[in-house]
Amino acid sequence: MKYICPTLGEDHEKDFLVAGSLDDFKIIVFSDLNEYAKGFEYLELEDYQPTEVSDELFRELAKNDEAFSGIILNIHNENKIISNEELL
């Protein structure tokens, strides 16, 4: 599955929009560009760019990064939390 993520930066130096703390964070994602646009407005973001990301990245994070605790899908309406366990 593919998600749209707000990111800052270029190429391999992109930073994701996250919620939580350094030792327990979730990445904010959107299901498509339409939901991204609504969420962008809802969160009042500036300077972020939409980046398509495969769920494989999140599976790898779930396996290899103890601080990563999942993703938040469509924070502006669904606000669905998908945990590490569900990602694996």
Side-chain angles (χ1 to χ4, degrees):
M1 179 169 200
K2 302 272 185 180
Y3 297 100
I4 305 297
C5 301
T7 59
L8 289 173
E10 300 287 326
D11 301 321
H12 297 314
E13 298 297 320
K14 289 186 180 182
D15 293 321
F16 291 94
L17 183 61
V18 300
S21 63
L22 288 176
D23 58 350
D24 181 21
F25 69 91
K26 292 175 180 57
I27 296 176
I28 296 172
V29 303
F30 299 95
S31 55
D32 56 42
L33 283 173
N34 185 42
E35 294 300 327
Y36 174 87
K38 292 176 189 174
F40 197 84
E41 184 177 325
Y42 170 80
L43 294 170
E44 299 179 3
L45 297 176
E46 293 183 18
D47 300 327
Y48 282 83
Q49 298 299 315
T51 301
E52 186 176 79
V53 177
S54 168
D55 59 355
E56 184 60 35
L57 172 70
F58 301 123
R59 277 197 285 277
E60 288 300 314
L61 280 171
K63 290 179 196 173
N64 300 314
D65 189 336
E66 291 180 13
F68 176 68
S69 59
I71 60 177
I72 302 172
L73 178 63
N74 297 331
I75 194 168
H76 61 291
N77 59 16
E78 261 182 275
N79 200 25
K80 180 179 180 182
I81 295 174
I82 301 173
S83 70
N84 280 359
E85 292 79 22
E86 292 173 279
L87 290 168
L88 295 172

